[in-house]
Amino acid sequence: MEKDAKIYIAGHRGMVGSAMLRRLQQAGFTNFVTRTSSELDLRNQQAVADFFTQEKPDYVVLAAAKVGGINANNIYRGEFLYDNLMIQNNVIHSSYLNGVKKLLFLGSSCIYPKFAPQPLQETALLTGELESTNEPYAIAKIAGIKLCDAYRSQYGCNYISAMPTNLYGPHDNYDLKNSHVLPALLRKFHEAKEAGVPEVEVWGTGTPRREFLHADDLADACYWLLENYNEPGLVNIGTGTDLSIRELAELVQRTVGYDGNIRFNSDYPDGTPRKLMDVSKLAGHGWVASIGLEEGVAGVYASAFKDQQPA
Ligand SMILES: NC(=O)C1=CN([C@@H]2O[C@H](COP(=O)(O)OP(=O)(O)OC[C@H]3O[C@@H](n4cnc5c(N)ncnc54)[C@H](OP(=O)(O)O)[C@@H]3O)[C@@H](O)[C@H]2O)C=CC1
Ligand SMILES: C[C@H]1O[C@H](OP(=O)(O)OP(=O)(O)OC[C@H]2O[C@@H](n3cnc4c(=O)[nH]c(N)nc43)[C@H](O)[C@@H]2O)[C@@H](O)[C@@H](O)C1=O
């Protein structure tokens, strides 16, 4: 990418968007265009069309989406399908109408079938039924991948799709009802320690397994893709290792220094039993994650909870 290129980061205030901004600034880019969701609601087709006509970005990072954990996905099913379809359709179509050179679309590991063989290969897409709790979100993401590929086929657009695993990092969402598991557990254990309560509730059975990638590692991988990858289809981005929710809860407990009990509440859904990504496609190009989970969680805890010293 040319160093003076105009880059639009959709969702620049979010965890991924802000990580992308940091990584691109670190790489020497300075010509960014951004809008908050109150300045530009990406669900509004005309507003998006007007924005692109006015700004004509050279590159687009599509990191804006309706995002949340298992509970939010399961409750706000209409919003997760409608908002994400509208956001990605408007941004991808306006990018095409305005000659955007390259667009990076962020999907998610949830697009793969619930019982697909592990580790999940990109070829597993659409080979089986999806996990019910996040099916609306997954359907939207699959539609985004297919729209990028269809615009490459019909119009020659160079729009690529990255599939990150579960993420954590600066500017994560810590709302206890709508967030993902890792930020939720950091907050739960921190508040239990501060308040001296004897027990922390963890949702589900603790048996599902998840893979966690730091947002800065994701941004580094996405920068590599922006500079080097020009193929249809999708690319998994992850660490290639996973752990159970029980092991994760114990890791967060150690990081926070909480000495109470952990209680698993199986009234909450487990979701997909496992979604370990096959990361060999990117590894084959020489990219591997570099931030270890213990180190990454300790750093996020220290900064998110105002210089708390991990135990
Ligand atoms: N977090 C995770 O574990 C994972 C995330 N991803 C994907 O990465 C991408 C970013 O996720 P993440 O950074 O975690 O999400 P965040 O919720 O942190 O950020 C989402 C961003 O989208 C913007 N946004 C939402 N709705 C609208 C709208 N209607 N109009 C304009 N902007 C909107 C928000 O803007 P504003 O702040 O201005 O309101 C926000 O900055 C998404 O595509 C997500 O699917 C993929 C795998 C895992
Ligand atoms: C990135 C990915 O993220 C989501 O899928 P998910 O990984 O299932 O979501 P999650 O992080 O919320 O849960 C992971 C596991 O953790 C357990 N769990 C325990 N205790 C808490 C808890 O307190 N909060 C939450 N949220 N989960 C908890 C929870 O019961 C589940 O077994 C979708 O957005 C999906 O579409 C997607 O893309």
Side-chain angles (χ1 to χ4, degrees):
M1 299 193 297
E2 310 74 30
K3 279 295 188 284
D4 63 348
K6 180 184 272 193
I7 304 170
Y8 169 42
I9 301 179
H12 74 287
R13 294 197 303 183
M15 178 169 66
V16 172
S18 58
M20 283 304 296
L21 183 58
R22 289 194 300 273
R23 183 66 187 86
L24 290 166
Q25 286 172 330
Q26 184 189 53
F29 296 93
T30 56
N31 188 8
F32 296 101
V33 59
T34 58
R35 291 290 187 282
T36 66
S37 60
S38 48
E39 290 167 338
L40 175 62
D41 184 342
L42 294 172
R43 295 170 299 183
N44 180 328
Q45 186 180 45
Q46 189 57 56
V48 173
D50 295 344
F51 164 74
F52 270 84
T53 303
Q54 176 195 334
E55 293 292 349
K56 288 207 176 297
D58 299 305
Y59 297 91
V60 174
V61 175
L62 180 40
K66 174 75 176 175
V67 182
I70 189 167
N71 198 44
N73 267 270
N74 206 21
I75 293 172
Y76 308 111
R77 300 175 75 86
E79 289 175 61
F80 273 86
L81 185 52
Y82 178 80
D83 286 18
N84 288 312
L85 284 175
M86 294 303 287
I87 289 167
Q88 55 199 46
N89 287 352
N90 291 337
V91 173
I92 292 166
H93 188 64
S94 282
S95 293
Y96 153 63
L97 293 176
N98 290 276
V100 165
K101 291 177 185 171
K102 191 165 185 177
L103 176 145
L104 169 68
F105 173 65
L106 272 303
S108 168
S109 57
C110 71
I111 62 165
Y112 293 112
K114 179 169 187 170
F115 299 111
Q118 309 277 330
L120 298 165
Q121 298 185 355
E122 289 89 348
T123 50
L125 183 62
L126 292 176
T127 58
E129 67 176 285
L130 298 168
E131 155 61 29
S132 163
T133 54
N134 52 45
E135 185 185 79
Y137 174 75
I139 294 276
K141 290 297 183 180
I142 293 168
I145 295 163
K146 295 302 181 182
L147 192 61
C148 287
D149 283 356
Y151 275 40
R152 177 184 295 275
S153 167
Q154 184 170 351
Y155 306 122
C157 298
N158 188 16
Y159 298 172
I160 62 176
S161 299
M163 296 304 119
T165 189
N166 290 50
L167 302 171
Y168 70 100
H171 306 296
D172 205 343
N173 167 11
Y174 287 89
D175 178 279
L176 288 181
K177 293 191 181 64
N178 299 325
S179 69
H180 289 98
V181 60
L182 212 166
L185 294 185
L186 278 168
R187 181 174 167 187
K188 284 183 179 180
F189 280 105
H190 174 73
E191 291 180 350
K193 176 185 169 187
E194 295 296 291
V197 300
E199 187 175 80
V200 166
E201 178 189 79
V202 177
W203 295 351
T205 62
T207 57
R209 300 183 67 84
R210 291 292 185 271
E211 177 184 5
F212 296 95
L213 180 72
H214 194 287
D216 287 345
D217 263 339
L218 174 70
D220 188 55
C222 288
Y223 174 53
W224 185 89
L225 292 171
L226 279 169
E227 290 283 24
N228 301 288
Y229 195 78
N230 303 294
E231 304 296 323
L234 44 160
V235 183
N236 289 344
I237 308 178
T239 62
T241 59
D242 64 359
L243 74 172
S244 71
I245 296 303
R246 175 184 291 278
E247 289 166 334
L248 179 72
E250 289 164 354
L251 184 157
V252 173
Q253 180 180 27
R254 285 195 306 276
T255 301
V256 171
Y258 174 73
D259 57 13
N261 297 324
I262 299 174
R263 178 176 60 84
F264 290 93
N265 180 351
S266 54
D267 293 346
Y268 284 93
D270 274 338
T272 304
R274 191 181 192 197
K275 38 183 178 178
L276 177 64
M277 306 282 258
D278 179 321
V279 294
S280 54
K281 196 169 184 181
L282 256 185
H285 291 288
W287 190 90
V288 292
S290 61
I291 302 172
L293 186 58
E294 296 253 7
E295 161 208 359
V297 171
V300 164
Y301 178 59
S303 56
F305 292 84
K306 300 286 171 270
D307 300 328
Q308 297 296 324
Q309 291 313 312

